[in-house]
Amino acid sequence: MKSFIDEAEIARILEQNKKPDPVKVRYVLDKAKEMKGLDLEDVAVLSNISDPMQLFELFEEANHIKENIYGKRLVIFAPLYISNLCANECSYCAFRAKNKSIARRSLTQDEIVRETEILIKQGHKRLLVVAGESYPRQGFQYVIDSIASVYQAKVGNGEIRRVNVNVAPLEVAEFKLLKDAKIGTYQLFQETYHHETYHNVHTGGKKKDYDYRITALHRAMEAGIDDVGIGVLFGLFDFRFELLALMQHIRELERVFGVGPHTISVPRLEPATGSDIASHPPFAVADLDFRKIVAILRLAVPYTGIIMSTRETAQMRRETFALGVSQISAGSRTNPGGYTDSLHEDDGSQFCLGDHRPLDEVIRDVAEMGYIPSFCTGCYRLGRTGQDFMDRAKPGDIKNHCGPNAISTFMEYLMDYASYETRLIGEDLIDDIIDSMDGIARERAVNLLEKVKKGKHDMYC
Ligand code: SAM
Ligand code: SF4
């Protein structure tokens, strides 16, 4: 397959829009209001603005689009690291093969069940299974077994209802196994789309192969996985280049499969044991530019979820909710066994976290800001994935499902898992949100809420 990342085109567009004319900036911001997305040139224009007034307008518009499409919802999940064995040499990652300074471990299936039970007891309903690129003797079957172990774990009325996966690129036949294992989203970050940088930071193992990685989401979709997630590891190369390349990747998936990615992740390089580059990113992204990245993506692909992990501090996470973030992780550990053995957080971790707060504290904070934490897994379980999801999302129909489902799953969380203080704040918020709703969305929300209050679980529409 011919590479669809055209570096010459990106360089040309960035050069032409280095100092964007205010008229052009206005045109792009007006175009964004239509919520039909932006093209490469528009993204180049916005990525080069620095005037405070223009930035203010960009952030305002991002907030407007986010509230229009997603309302006040924030979907909550936790990562589950099952193994830190890895055969690759990614210079920024503590799991790289030659790094001798971390303890290596792959969890047994019993340990995976135990870790999952801890997350269930905290109130989680969605997990992201993560692993390095080397599996114990079972090979790739280890990942499939691990997913089954997560789904099998139950504690009282709690269970994990959606497992997303972030593991190394696979062949189509293996992706079919992942689909059969009932995963939600398959997530894979290109890390950097810049060929030269890619080769400089990936010096050993299969991950050296840029083309094999960049075509992985094609293979996943070919295997029938509707929801795929993309991302860039910001800090390795110029963020403007990465944004335009990300757009080329998205447009290519849309061209071939008729639908783009379900989510975009925006990890910034964080310090990692045994990695120099992770502590001194060659293209460190300043906080203001990071907020700009989130806002531009919200305008460029309004219907694609944006994920914010606990790599970022609580304060940065808070600021980005208003700029377009729709999913956040909470209470995360990035070392296998980290939930069971929470005292040894740094031992075997992939990178340092910016937000260490437990789930209950994050939920309380989010609710105090007026956002509804959603534990909903309805779309995926009703088959509203891929093209079907986008078809519904575009006319705003998804709001009539997601709004009520967020409220019912949040109430379930408050009744089953929240601290007293969080429950009071959460219930007040639910009352306020219901008051602000009308039509079919309100009718559905009230109906679901009544059932949850009577003790029913897993209510969604
Ligand atoms: N091993 C698989 C791979 O590389 O695709 C999947 C799991 S890997 C643990 C998940 C992601 O962690 C990587 O894609 C990378 O973007 C991110 N990561 C690695 N080192 C990091 C660091 N120092 N700071 C922030 N994110 C990092
Ligand atoms: Fe291994 Fe993934 Fe870390 Fe690279 S980023 S060293 S492939 S775990």
Side-chain angles (χ1 to χ4, degrees), residues 81 86 88 90 92-95 130-133 166-169 186-191 207 213 232-233 267-272 275 278 311 350-352:
Y81 279 69
C86 193
N88 292 330
C90 309
Y92 45 80
C93 179
F95 294 175
V130 187
E133 188 167 2
N166 185 327
V167 296
Y186 171 71
Q187 206 183 67
L188 189 76
F189 312 150
Q190 186 63 21
E191 321 295 12
K207 197 161 163 180
R213 193 166 180 93
V232 164
L233 184 53
R268 267 198 294 189
L269 260 184
E270 293 298 329
S275 164
R311 289 174 182 85
Q350 193 193 10
F351 47 78
C352 300

Side-chain angles (χ1 to χ4, degrees), residues 106-138:
S106 52
L107 301 182
T108 64
Q109 297 308 319
D110 283 348
E111 287 170 333
I112 290 171
V113 171
R114 219 172 309 142
E115 288 273 287
T116 308
E117 285 170 352
I118 291 171
L119 290 163
I120 292 172
K121 281 193 223 158
Q122 291 173 8
H124 280 290
K125 297 284 184 272
R126 290 174 168 241
L127 295 192
L128 172 69
V129 165
V130 187
E133 188 167 2
S134 170
Y135 306 114
R137 64 182 162 74
Q138 305 90 320

Side-chain angles (χ1 to χ4, degrees), residues 172-184:
V172 174
E174 292 167 319
F175 276 125
K176 284 192 175 148
L177 295 176
L178 270 189
K179 184 177 162 67
D180 293 346
K182 303 209 175 336
I183 65 156

Side-chain angles (χ1 to χ4, degrees), residues 35 58-74 298-299 302-303 306 318-326 366 369-372 393 396 398-400 402-403 429 433 436-437:
M35 295 196 286
L58 166 66
F59 295 159
E60 284 282 297
E61 193 48 43
N63 182 237
H64 178 73
I65 293 176
K66 143 112 191 203
E67 301 242 329
N68 214 300
I69 295 175
Y70 299 85
K72 285 281 187 188
R73 282 176 301 115
L74 271 180
R298 182 39 68 239
L299 267 52
Y303 297 93
I306 300 180
R318 283 188 198 105
E319 287 176 33
T320 56
F321 298 163
L323 300 177
V325 165
S326 55
V366 162
M369 292 175 71
Y371 290 101
I372 287 261
I398 214 82
K399 234 172 145 178
N400 292 333
C402 301
L429 176 66
I433 299 270
S436 70
M437 290 171 106

Side-chain angles (χ1 to χ4, degrees), residues 341-357:
D341 187 10
S342 55
L343 290 179
H344 298 95
E345 197 191 315
D346 292 333
D347 192 18
S349 293
Q350 193 193 10
F351 47 78
C352 300
L353 299 178
D355 183 352
H356 298 263
R357 296 170 302 164

